[in-house]
Amino acid sequence: MRATVMYGAGDVRIETVPDAGLVEATDAVVRVTRAAICGSDLWPYKSMEHSETGRRMGHEFIGVVEAAGSDVRTVQAGDLVVAPFVWSDGTCVFCQEGLHTSCLHGGRYGFDGVDGGQGEAVRVPQADGTLVVLPVGADDALMPSLVTLTDVMATGHHAALAATVGPGKTVAVVGDGAVGLCGVIAARRLGAEQVVLLGRHSDRIALAREFGATDIVSERGDEAVERVRELTDGLGAHSVLECVGLEQSTVTALSIARPGGAVGRVGVPQEESIPEGLTTFMDNVAIAGGPAPARAYIEELLPDVLEGRIEPGRVFDRVGRLDDVPDGYRAMNEREAIKVMIEF
C-alpha cells in the first residue's frame, strides 16, 4: 500500500510500504477514505532531523473496516468508522475517567510499528476502545466535519472545557489555526457571550466571525494584551484558549486571563517552562489542558455535526489526493492553507 513518510524537515514522500494487517486479536484494519494534515505535523516538518528509515505520518482519519481481529466485538467488516488521534483500550482506569490519551495500553499512530493515518490503510490496535461507527455513508456531505472529530474539533472542545467556558462568559482564543477556529465553535457551543479571537489572517478571521467570534485582536505581544483588556472592561477574559504552543502565544494567553480565570492549553508546548508564573499565581489563574481525549468527546459532539448545529469541517480550505500530501504540508507551513483534507 502507499503511505506518507517523513525523512526530515521539509522532506515528505509518498512511498510503498507493507500492507496493513492484523497482528493482535484486538486489532482492526481500516481502509482510509478521508484523512487530514494536522498543525502538529508541521513541527517535525520544520525541525525533524534526517532519518534513514523515515517516520510514518498522520493521525486523523476515517475509513471502512476491512478486517477485525477475533476479539473485536464493536466493529465489523464494512463499518464506516472515525478514529481518534490516539488509540486506547477504553477499559483502563484512565479511559474510564475519560482520559484516553493516558491509556495504560494505548499509543500513537506512526510509532512502534503502527501505521500512520496518511496512508491507504491503518492497523488500529485496541479497536473496540478506539473506533466509533458512523451512521452515514463514506461520501456523505458531512464528511469534512466528521473528520474534525478525530482531532481539531475535539481539541478545541478540550481547550474550552479546560478553560471552564460557560454561559455568559468572556472567552479569548489565542491562535487562528484550525484548532483555534474550532475553539471558537466550542466556546459558542458552551454558551460564551463574548468570544475574542487573536489572529492576523483575513481568511481565518472571516471564518471565525461566521463561527461566532464577536471581536478580533490582530495585535501581538503587549499591544494584544492591552487590546483584550480594552474589550473586557480592563478585567481580562474569564476563559482563555491557548491553541498555538509558542512561548509568545503562551505569555499572551496567561496575560489576558482575568483574576480567577482559567487558561486551557492545547497548543503543543515548544518550551519546557510556563511563563508568567508569579502573576498567574497571585491572580489565582487556573492553568489546565493537554492532548485532547478525543475518544471521550466523539459521542457528545457527533449529534451536533450530524444535525448541522456546528460545521467544523469548514476549516478545510484545500482538498487533495494522497500524492498531493507533500504540497499540502508546504501549503499549511507557508500559511497558504488552514487545513488540508486528503480523499482516497
Side-chain angles (χ1 to χ4, degrees), residues 30 33 61-65 75 79-83 131-134:
V30 176
T33 58
F61 62 95
I62 282 174
V64 176
V65 175
V75 300
D79 285 343
L80 182 71
V81 293
V82 57
L131 300 173
V132 178
V133 178
L134 293 172

Side-chain angles (χ1 to χ4, degrees), residues 76-254:
Q76 59 186 353
D79 285 343
L80 182 71
V81 293
V82 57
F85 68 88
V86 297
W87 44 272
S88 54
D89 64 17
T91 59
C92 81
V93 60
F94 294 116
C95 288
Q96 290 299 300
E97 293 173 357
L99 195 62
H100 297 72
T101 46
S102 294
C103 177
L104 295 174
H105 308 106
R108 299 164 60 194
Y109 298 104
F111 294 88
D112 301 320
V114 178
D115 305 291
Q118 293 164 7
E120 292 179 327
V122 178
R123 176 176 74 89
V124 179
Q126 304 291 349
D128 278 339
T130 303
L131 300 173
V132 178
V133 178
L134 293 172
V136 297
D139 294 320
D140 193 280
L142 293 173
M143 203 52 59
S145 287
L146 293 168
V147 172
T148 70
L149 299 181
T150 66
D151 189 341
V152 289
M153 185 61 227
T155 298
H157 180 64
H158 187 56
L161 292 180
T164 66
V165 174
K169 289 190 175 183
T170 293
V171 178
V173 179
V174 180
D176 60 6
V179 171
L181 293 169
C182 287
V184 172
I185 295 174
R188 296 295 285 185
R189 180 180 175 275
L190 293 173
E193 181 175 330
Q194 181 181 19
V195 178
V196 181
L197 176 78
L198 283 74
R200 302 167 69 100
H201 301 85
S202 59
D203 54 340
R204 302 168 188 226
I205 288 170
L207 192 53
R209 288 195 181 279
E210 293 177 23
F211 284 162
T214 57
D215 302 277
I216 304 296
V217 171
S218 294
E219 294 86 353
R220 288 187 176 177
D222 292 342
E223 293 181 354
V225 174
E226 180 61 29
R227 180 64 182 137
V228 171
R229 294 199 174 276
E230 289 175 2
L231 292 168
T232 57
D233 298 324
L235 302 176
H238 296 97
S239 304
V240 183
L241 283 56
E242 199 292 305
C243 303
V244 182
L246 296 175
E247 182 178 17
Q248 181 59 69
S249 63
T250 303
V251 169
T252 298
L254 295 170

Side-chain angles (χ1 to χ4, degrees), residues 3-67:
T4 302
V5 184
M6 183 179 293
Y7 283 89
D11 186 3
V12 178
R13 311 176 198 174
I14 306 303
E15 297 193 335
T16 299
V17 301
D19 286 339
L22 299 175
V23 176
E24 305 288 343
T26 51
D27 292 346
V29 173
V30 176
R31 174 176 54 82
V32 178
T33 58
R34 298 285 196 290
I37 301 173
C38 183
S40 65
D41 293 331
L42 299 182
W43 295 119
Y45 185 74
K46 295 174 182 177
S47 62
M48 179 179 167
E49 294 185 5
H50 176 73
S51 165
E52 291 295 332
T53 56
R55 169 179 160 185
R56 297 280 289 280
M57 297 300 296
H59 53 258
E60 302 166 290
F61 62 95
I62 282 174
V64 176
V65 175
E66 291 282 286

